[in-house]
Amino acid sequence: MQYFKPEAPYFVGDCMPFFHDGTFHLYWLVDENHHQAKGGLGGHQWAHASTHDLIDWVHHPLAIACTEEWEGSICTGSTFYRDGTYYGYYATRMPDRTEKLSLAVSTDGITFAKTLPNPFAVPGAGYRPQHYRDPFVFVDETTGEFNMLVTAAIQDYPLYGLGGCLLRLTSRDLKKWDVAEPFLIPGSQPGHGSIPECPDYFKWHDWYYLVFGLDGVAHYRMSRQPHGPWLRPPVDTFDGSTLAAVMKTAAFTGDRRLGVAFLNARKDNKDDGPRIYAGNAVFREIFQHADGTLGTKFPAEMIPAHGDPLALSFAPLTSGATGDGSCVQIDALEGLEAGMITGVPRNAHITVTVTPQAPTAAIGLWLRGSGALASGYQLRCLPYERRVTLNQQVLTCVDGLDQPFQLDIILKDDIIDVCVDQRRCVIDRCPELSGNCLFLCVENGAVNFADLRIFPLA
């Protein structure tokens, strides 16, 4: 399921993971031709796959489908389990593009039946009818009260364009819901990006977490209390800006937590083509630092299967590069020095330990390269700036790039996915270049690339 996409013209849209009784469920919006179904309303429906071990997956029939002409789209929501019943809360996009809340229930988490009235809730006075979606339900363990977070927009907010909020609703029976108050008003990125979408909420050890999207990027807040106040950590995002529709999370066996999002397609399948809705599913393992902040890495079970490491030759491009196919030393005190490894498969898993000597300005790996550093997708680690860049994506506030660190790289079709030192991830869709060279580059410094291994994907 890592990087999964159904057969064209279908794609993976918003992902809604859920874990119960040892089974990890992935509900996701099956998309047709990038939001073009039903006259642009989306026509989305809940698809479903499940697993016990993240390796063997079962694909089920549609969990919640469009069954009425007036259902423009079965939109994003969440699943909640209580007393033998699975509650599938979702938003229905109407033909006039207003959004209303709906509910379907199930006894097995596979076959759902819509309840009446359908929809059961509409935006109340003071909230815009075009924004009422992404319901997420949780129980307040201190009161036993059920809470629902809903993407909403305050009609007359005092600051222009900043009225987007996560509205809190409450219930005692999971059916009748009363509006309480805004749970969070992020107050950033005026315009469409100010509306927090696809909320996710969970408690992990002694911290409560609130996850939401702004302009497609997953952000999170943390608190010692179930309802805040919500602290913004120094790095409040999971990946770069490419993983759209926000990453939603679910628990997994062994006190683990997994995040799932989708990687947008690119229009016309071009490197510089604008990103369009829906694409491939992407999984991340979420982990918790000692201070409560969160990081991401590849789920070990979901790294694509591969063969034995290849024995590939190394060739220096400049005099400062020496080594072989598994260990390379580059000295570039006054400029840029580089070497290359050829014969790298298009689909490959690359691992390497990078040891820079201070001071080193930039460390580069050019992927799918060709010529003598003529082209390639650049993965650059910048110790001075504490940044990692992959093609058009950027990770900021990356500490430890002046110390030994590991890079874990997946090349899969038009996807390049990178995990930096088992703590930060960055991904991009790179459809055009297809060279078979891996360039290793250093600017103003010295770096040892050790234990370099290149595995062909099965």
Side-chain angles (χ1 to χ4, degrees):
M1 285 296 291
Q2 183 71 297
Y3 316 124
F4 167 79
K5 185 190 81 63
E7 293 295 326
Y10 299 102
F11 301 88
V12 174
D14 293 15
C15 295
M16 300 159 282
F18 173 71
F19 181 73
H20 175 69
D21 197 22
T23 300
F24 187 91
H25 302 264
L26 178 62
Y27 302 99
W28 48 277
L29 300 187
V30 58
D31 172 84
E32 182 177 358
N33 285 325
H34 308 293
H35 217 295
Q36 296 309 303
K38 286 210 167 186
L41 293 170
H44 298 116
Q45 307 174 90
W46 280 28
H48 180 205
S50 65
T51 182
H52 298 287
D53 57 10
L54 303 180
I55 299 171
D56 296 316
W57 289 78
V58 177
H59 287 267
H60 304 283
L62 289 176
I64 306 176
C66 290
T67 56
E68 304 294 337
E69 187 63 31
W70 50 265
E71 292 175 316
S73 187
I74 303 295
C75 299
T76 310
S78 64
T79 304
F80 184 80
Y81 179 84
R82 195 74 168 186
D83 298 331
T85 299
Y86 295 82
Y87 294 82
Y89 291 94
Y90 62 98
T92 301
R93 182 172 296 118
M94 312 301 284
D96 62 357
R97 296 190 176 273
T98 60
E99 296 169 344
K100 303 175 181 180
L101 303 184
S102 299
L103 169 65
V105 295
S106 171
T107 58
D108 59 7
I110 297 174
T111 303
F112 285 78
K114 296 172 183 175
T115 62
L116 296 175
N118 180 24
F120 70 85
V122 301
Y127 294 93
R128 299 177 187 174
Q130 295 83 11
H131 298 290
Y132 211 63
R133 60 184 180 274
D134 309 330
F136 183 89
V137 174
F138 66 95
V139 63
D140 186 336
E141 300 292 353
T142 62
T143 64
E145 184 178 59
F146 300 110
N147 288 253
M148 178 188 291
L149 302 180
V150 178
T151 292
I154 300 171
Q155 191 79 49
D156 297 313
Y157 194 69
L159 299 178
Y160 176 77
L162 296 179
C165 71
L166 296 178
L167 182 63
R168 186 171 75 97
L169 284 65
T170 62
S171 174
R172 286 291 177 180
D173 60 5
L174 291 169
K175 296 178 181 178
K176 182 182 182 300
W177 293 88
D178 299 312
V179 173
E181 75 288 320
F183 197 66
L184 179 74
I185 304 174
S188 61
Q189 301 186 41
H192 175 74
S194 71
I195 298 176
E197 299 180 291
C198 302
D200 180 22
Y201 173 99
F202 58 93
K203 183 183 180 183
W204 201 5
H205 301 146
D206 295 327
W207 288 95
Y208 294 87
Y209 296 93
L210 178 62
V211 183
F212 56 92
L214 289 174
D215 203 20
V217 180
H219 298 253
Y220 77 94
R221 300 291 183 265
M222 49 196 292
S223 177
R224 293 291 192 180
Q225 305 299 323
H227 289 220
W230 296 103
L231 307 176
R232 176 175 175 170
V235 178
D236 74 328
T237 59
F238 293 112
D239 276 29
S241 61
T242 310
L243 281 184
V246 183
M247 182 182 294
K248 291 172 73 71
T249 75
F252 188 61
T253 304
D255 194 30
R256 296 168 65 185
R257 193 153 201 100
L258 299 176
V260 194
F262 71 79
L263 176 64
N264 294 81
R266 284 188 182 273
K267 190 174 182 180
D268 301 324
N269 205 34
K270 298 290 186 181
D271 285 342
D272 58 354
R275 301 187 187 279
I276 49 181
Y277 181 81
N280 301 64
V282 177
F283 287 72
R284 295 288 187 246
E285 175 126 11
I286 310 293
F287 67 91
Q288 191 179 52
H289 294 287
D291 62 358
T293 59
L294 302 176
T296 59
K297 59 185 179 179
F298 296 161
E301 302 92 330
M302 302 189 75
I303 292 175
H306 54 69
D308 294 332
L310 301 173
L312 301 177
S313 61
F314 170 80
L317 293 176
T318 62
S319 60
T322 59
D324 54 34
S326 63
C327 185
V328 175
Q329 177 70 34
I330 299 182
D331 296 305
L333 296 181
E334 295 184 346
L336 185 144
E337 303 279 348
M340 71 176 180
I341 294 174
T342 57
V344 179
R346 174 172 174 77
N347 291 335
H349 180 196
I350 302 172
T351 61
V352 63
T353 298
V354 181
T355 303
Q357 298 177 21
T360 294
I363 305 158
L365 286 80
W366 289 36
L367 306 163
R368 291 182 176 159
S370 59
L373 212 65
S375 66
Y377 294 112
Q378 294 189 46
L379 170 62
R380 302 183 76 219
C381 303
L382 306 165
Y384 293 168
E385 302 175 36
R386 300 165 58 223
R387 286 197 308 148
V388 174
T389 66
L390 169 65
N391 197 30
Q392 300 177 15
Q393 301 305 305
V394 180
L395 293 179
T396 60
C397 302
V398 184
D399 294 322
L401 297 178
D402 57 346
Q403 304 294 321
F405 62 91
Q406 294 179 322
L407 291 175
D408 205 341
I409 305 166
I410 302 292
L411 307 175
K412 178 70 166 65
D413 300 329
D414 63 348
I415 294 171
I416 298 179
D417 199 4
V418 178
C419 182
V420 181
D421 211 30
Q422 297 293 301
R423 51 194 171 92
R424 300 283 297 277
C425 294
V426 61
I427 189 171
D428 204 358
R429 193 179 291 279
C430 305
E432 293 192 67
L433 301 181
S434 57
N436 69 348
C437 295
L438 168 64
F439 298 115
L440 304 173
C441 311
V442 175
E443 297 176 40
N444 302 109
V447 175
N448 181 54
F449 300 88
D451 299 321
L452 175 59
R453 295 188 291 175
I454 300 174
F455 306 87
L457 297 192

